Amino acid sequence: MTKLLEVRDLKMYYSTMRGDVKAVDDVSFAIEKGESLGLAGESGCGKTSVALALMKLYPSNAKILSGEVLLDGVDILKMSDEEIRREVRWRRISMVPQAAMTALNPVFTIKDQIVEAILTHEDVSEKEAGERAVELLRRVGIDPSRASNYPHEFSGGMKQRAMMAMALSCNPDLVIADEPTTALDVIVQAQVLKEIKKLQKELGLSMILISHDLSVVAETCDKTIIMYAGNIAEDSTTLEIFRHPLHPYSIGLIGAFPKLTGERKRLESIKGNPPNLLNPPPGCRFHPRCPYAKDVCKVVPPPLQETHIGHRVACHMVNRHPEYR
Ligand code: SF4
């Protein structure tokens, strides 16, 4: 596979009246062409901030202190806003935002909104844009006869699919879907996830799926990154993360989900709360909640190191986990 996007040592803080919120700290990862990557972790762990940095869409109080975001080798953080708008957003990277269900404009039909997105970014005729909009809706499972409906005539699942069609309207290489199914009931959620996965494979798209719900990531993604308090705790293939989690936080997260097969066990939650990123704990940011923390964990931040090919873990005690589990 060929690398599409590489994030290197990204550090992004938000300036506030009370100090800097250390939202993303030394985050590095890559995504290949045609690959799906899940960014998982509790709310406020920095997942959405990473996504916003990939499109340079962060709010005005955000500051990038260091790092690179290389799209086919070109650092988009060095591009001007105009270059990003012209060359990257929608055309190369598009996003289905967290509030996708309310992002549609209530006074325009679904088709018109997709046409508008195409015409804004591409030099094509209105007729061609209209045909493409209908084809995109068909692709995401919406009957073309519904293209002229208004958003209020669509169910939650259909609105989510329409947003996906809009994100695909300029044939991007990478789609970032931020909590795409959070507001949907479980049955519709399963249908939408199946649709997203099918589209991603059919179109050979790269996709970053952000979710606090591990089952959504497990269902959809080839690889998974578990984030905690602005850092990557662990990353690997999704299968490896779920079968052999090595970071105590990942072990806790996965242990908090019920299993359908095997021995019945009491579900364990992770004690405590995520830290305030205005003043995160020194050393390993997870140490106040970690049952295996040692003195070194309170002082020295653990480096993200490869334990075996394609599996990275940020934990001083990683070699002792078999005896902990
Ligand atoms: Fe726990 Fe220490 Fe590992 Fe952090 S480095 S996860 S505190 S054992």
Side-chain angles (χ1 to χ4, degrees):
M1 280 211 216
T2 323
K3 209 173 276 177
L4 174 71
L5 183 107
E6 190 175 2
V7 177
R8 287 191 190 152
D9 305 321
L10 184 66
K11 196 187 276 275
M12 179 168 129
Y13 292 178
Y14 295 105
S15 302
T16 71
M17 306 273 276
R18 288 159 56 215
D20 283 347
V21 174
K22 299 162 187 75
V24 179
D25 236 335
D26 291 326
V27 164
S28 300
F29 65 90
I31 180 163
E32 315 280 341
K33 289 190 172 149
E35 187 177 60
S36 53
L37 173 76
L39 271 185
E42 288 162 291
S43 297
C45 70
K47 311 179 293 285
T48 298
S49 295
V50 169
L52 294 177
L54 303 188
M55 294 185 78
K56 265 188 111 175
L57 265 181
Y58 32 77
S60 56
N61 67 335
K63 47 186 182 183
I64 304 276
L65 281 93
S66 63
E68 295 176 314
V69 174
L70 304 170
L71 180 65
D72 280 336
V74 177
D75 186 1
I76 62 173
L77 294 181
K78 293 208 173 84
M79 287 182 165
S80 67
D81 286 350
E82 176 51 31
E83 282 172 320
I84 291 272
R85 241 193 322 269
R86 208 177 49 231
E87 293 166 28
V88 177
R89 277 185 218 138
W90 291 80
R91 287 168 171 270
R92 304 290 317 274
I93 307 179
S94 67
M95 190 166 184
V96 182
Q98 226 174 70
M101 307 263 263
T102 50
L104 290 162
N105 189 327
V107 298
F108 292 104
T109 67
I110 299 291
K111 180 180 165 186
D112 284 350
Q113 296 188 52
I114 300 176
V115 167
E116 175 70 20
I118 297 171
L119 293 177
T120 308
H121 297 94
E122 289 192 28
D123 188 16
V124 294
S125 70
E126 203 162 319
K127 181 167 176 284
E128 194 181 333
E131 285 166 1
R132 206 198 292 175
V134 172
E135 171 57 19
L136 281 165
L137 288 170
R138 194 192 56 71
R139 266 199 175 272
V140 298
I142 293 176
D143 191 300
S145 66
R146 305 291 302 269
S148 300
N149 283 177
Y150 288 87
H152 74 270
E153 297 173 282
F154 270 29
S155 65
M158 288 169 81
K159 282 185 202 163
Q160 194 58 265
R161 285 163 195 239
M163 285 306 296
M164 190 68 193
M166 202 170 318
L168 295 174
S169 61
C170 297
N171 299 318
D173 301 301
L174 171 67
V175 172
I176 303 170
D178 194 356
E179 303 280 3
T181 54
T182 303
L184 305 174
D185 67 55
V186 208
I187 303 212
V188 181
Q189 176 171 318
Q191 289 165 348
V192 171
L193 285 180
K194 204 167 143 206
E195 204 67 58
I196 290 179
K197 197 168 165 184
K198 185 167 145 257
L199 273 173
Q200 186 250 330
K201 294 290 170 208
E202 272 177 15
L203 301 174
L205 274 177
S206 302
M207 184 176 72
I208 296 181
L209 189 141
I210 298 172
S211 183
H212 68 280
D213 184 343
L214 275 187
S215 59
V216 166
V217 171
E219 185 85 8
T220 324
C221 300
D222 304 322
K223 287 193 187 153
T224 297
I225 293 178
I226 307 273
M227 285 193 70
Y228 183 78
N231 299 139
I232 292 180
E234 177 164 12
D235 74 2
S236 189
T237 63
T238 302
L239 206 61
E240 176 77 2
I241 291 263
F242 283 84
R243 286 206 180 142
H244 307 291
L246 292 174
H247 194 283
Y249 178 60
S250 320
I251 296 170
L253 273 186
I254 291 164
F257 272 83
K259 293 188 178 51
L260 292 176
T261 54
E263 191 191 335
R264 288 177 71 181
K265 282 191 194 164
R266 192 183 184 82
L267 294 179
E268 298 286 346
S269 62
I270 303 172
K271 293 185 178 55
N273 293 305
N276 181 344
L277 293 181
L278 273 169
N279 193 17
C284 172
R285 290 184 178 180
F286 187 58
H287 86 252
R289 302 173 78 186
C290 181
Y292 315 120
K294 298 280 180 282
D295 286 346
V296 62
C297 307
K298 297 173 189 164
V299 188
V300 183
L304 187 64
Q305 48 192 335
E306 198 160 60
T307 55
H308 45 282
I309 294 172
H311 194 152
R312 299 184 304 166
V313 186
C315 175
H316 291 303
M317 302 296 149
V318 70
N319 295 325
R320 298 187 54 189
H321 288 155
E323 70 193 72
Y324 290 147
R325 282 196 284 157

